[in-house]
Amino acid sequence: SSDVCSSDLTRAVPLRRCGGARASHRRAPLCINAVSNVSRPRPSGFNQKNKHGFTNVLIVPKKLEHEADRLVKSHERWVNQTHVVGPDGDEDDFGHPRLLEYYVTKGPEVVDALDPRSDGKSTGNVVYTFNMKFVSRFGVDQHFRMSSEGWQDHAPLMDMMREHGRFFDRGGRIVANHVDDAPACTARKGDKATNVILRVPAIDELTADALVRDHQALMRRTHHFTTQLDYDELRPRITQYQVSKHLVREDPWDTKSQLTGDVHYCIHTAFVDALGIRGHRNIANTNPEVYARMTPFFLKHGIHADVTDHVVVANMQRPNFVSNIIRGVGKLFTKTEQDVALQEFEAKLNRPRL
C-alpha cells in the first residue's frame, strides 16, 4: 500500500492566536492521504504527494519593511548557496537539503481578506509568506540546523519571527497539487501569489479533506501550468499550486509538544499574471457546486489570507531555466533538450478541455 500515516507530523499553532483558546486533547495518528490517494511515483517523474514542508508568515509594520526585505534577500541568497533542487542527491540531505519548492511572497495586510464583501482596505502592515517544500523530513531538519549554525542572519530573522510572526509550522505534508510528479521549484520572481491558511477542528477535518479534493480537481481541470501565452481570465496560468496539511501542536517550535486536535491547511498558488487571479475568481463564480461549500467554510475557519497584490520576491534560482519552468525532474538539460521536455510536459498537463 502507498498509504503514509505518521504520528510525528508537527501540529503547529499561529504565533499570535486568532480567536479564543482551544482545549487540548489527544487524537489518533493522521493518515495523510485522507485527502488524496497517493499512487507510486512513475519512472518518468517524482511524486510530490506526502512530501514535507513548512509555512511561515510574518506581518511587520511599515517601519520594519526595509529590514524585512534585507532578511528575505539574505535568506534567498543563503538557500540558493546551500540547498539543491529536486529529488536527486544523498537521502540524508546532510549539508544540502533537497527542495521541491521555495519562494517568499510579499504584499499588504488586508482587513477581512477572505471575505468577498471586503473592500480590500490595508492595515498598513506588510506580509511576508515563506513556502518551502522538501523531499524528506531530514531536509527540513537540516535546513534549520544549517541555518542556526551557518547563516549570519539566522538570529535577526528569529527575533523578527518571535515579535511579528503570525504563523509557523514545520511539519506539513503536501496533500494536493496541480500534478503529482510536477517539476521542482517552478515559482518565479514577479509571479502574483495567493496564500490561504485554515485552522480546522477535528470534527470538521473530513469536510476539509473533501473540499481540498474538490479544489484540487477543479484547479487541475481549469488552470494551465505554463508560462506560455494564454488568456488568463478564462484559463489562468499558474507556476505553482500546493496544499499542505499540518497537525497542530501547542508549541509550533517543539515537534514533541502536545497535539491540540486541530489541523492546518496551507494553500499556496502562484500565477503568471494578475489577470490569472481575476480568472481564478471567474472560475469560482462559474463553479458554484464547489465554491458554495468552500466560501463559508473558509470564512469560518480561515486564520490568514493573502489574496490582494502579493508578489513572489524570492525563489530558488535554477541554471538553464527557460521561462522558469523546469524541463525535467532533478536534471539539467541543454537548451534543445529543455525545449523538447517542455513541449512533452505541457502536452501531458494541458490537453484541450471541452
Side-chain angles (χ1 to χ4, degrees), residues 1-303:
S1 171
S2 59
D3 289 354
V4 179
C5 299
S6 174
S7 60
D8 294 330
L9 296 177
T10 304
R11 293 190 162 216
V13 296
L15 300 183
R16 295 203 300 264
R17 284 183 181 264
C18 300
R22 302 175 187 265
S24 300
H25 62 277
R26 297 184 181 276
R27 55 171 283 159
L30 169 70
C31 185
I32 280 298
N33 55 356
V35 171
S36 174
N37 291 327
V38 180
S39 59
R40 295 183 182 277
R42 290 174 290 180
S44 59
F46 179 81
N47 195 327
Q48 295 192 19
K49 284 282 178 64
N50 288 313
K51 301 311 177 186
H52 309 258
F54 72 84
T55 298
N56 175 31
V57 180
L58 291 172
I59 301 181
V60 305
K62 192 70 174 178
K63 65 181 181 181
L64 293 180
E65 181 180 8
H66 179 75
E67 174 62 8
D69 285 345
R70 187 192 69 81
L71 290 173
V72 168
K73 290 179 182 177
S74 176
H75 188 262
E76 177 189 37
R77 184 166 53 251
W78 173 75
V79 169
N80 275 269
Q81 291 172 347
T82 56
H83 295 50
V84 296
V85 174
D88 289 353
D90 297 333
E91 292 186 0
D92 63 7
D93 288 283
F94 189 81
H96 54 269
R98 293 169 294 163
L99 287 174
L100 296 175
E101 189 54 272
Y102 163 67
Y103 64 90
V104 183
T105 66
K106 176 186 177 182
E109 182 186 31
V110 173
V111 178
D112 296 328
L114 275 174
D115 192 337
R117 299 164 297 180
S118 173
D119 59 6
K121 182 179 180 181
S122 173
T123 65
N125 296 327
V126 184
V127 183
Y128 298 84
T129 300
F130 292 70
N131 174 27
M132 297 193 75
K133 299 297 186 292
F134 295 81
V135 174
S136 76
R137 177 67 178 271
F138 299 115
V140 181
D141 296 338
Q142 283 293 307
H143 172 84
F144 285 100
R145 180 193 66 79
M146 292 166 56
S147 175
S148 63
E149 295 178 0
W151 179 41
Q152 61 182 6
D153 284 316
H154 176 83
L157 181 60
M158 293 301 103
D159 290 342
M160 185 171 286
M161 288 173 63
R162 280 187 285 270
E163 182 69 21
H164 301 287
R166 172 64 57 87
F167 179 88
F168 175 81
D169 189 301
R170 61 178 286 177
R173 297 283 190 108
I174 298 172
V175 293
N177 51 24
H178 194 273
V179 61
D180 290 349
D181 61 349
C185 298
T186 52
R188 313 168 307 158
K189 282 186 182 178
D191 285 345
K192 312 306 178 184
T194 62
N195 306 290
V196 176
I197 301 175
L198 310 178
R199 177 169 178 160
V200 177
I203 193 172
D204 290 325
E205 182 181 352
L206 292 180
T207 299
D209 288 345
L211 289 173
V212 169
R213 279 197 303 270
D214 291 344
H215 189 255
Q216 175 184 255
L218 183 64
M219 292 290 290
R220 290 181 171 188
R221 189 174 74 249
T222 60
H223 290 57
H224 193 178
F225 188 61
T226 185
T227 58
Q228 295 186 356
L229 291 177
D230 207 340
Y231 191 57
D232 286 289
E233 291 187 271
L234 290 179
R235 191 181 179 192
R237 294 172 295 162
I238 61 173
T239 58
Q240 189 54 269
Y241 163 67
Q242 293 172 330
V243 182
S244 56
K245 185 176 181 178
H246 311 240
L247 303 180
V248 181
R249 291 188 181 273
E250 286 292 347
D251 181 356
W253 300 92
D254 182 1
T255 59
K256 302 299 182 181
S257 66
Q258 187 173 356
L259 303 177
T260 70
D262 293 351
V263 182
H264 281 138
Y265 295 84
C266 299
I267 307 167
H268 303 284
T269 311
F271 295 84
V272 173
D273 190 272
L275 288 176
I277 298 179
R278 184 186 300 177
H280 181 81
R281 292 169 180 161
N282 291 339
I283 289 169
N285 293 331
T286 56
N287 289 269
E289 73 281 1
V290 176
Y291 280 90
R293 293 178 289 116
M294 286 184 62
T295 299
F297 192 87
F298 279 33
L299 286 173
K300 180 179 180 180
H301 298 295
I303 61 172

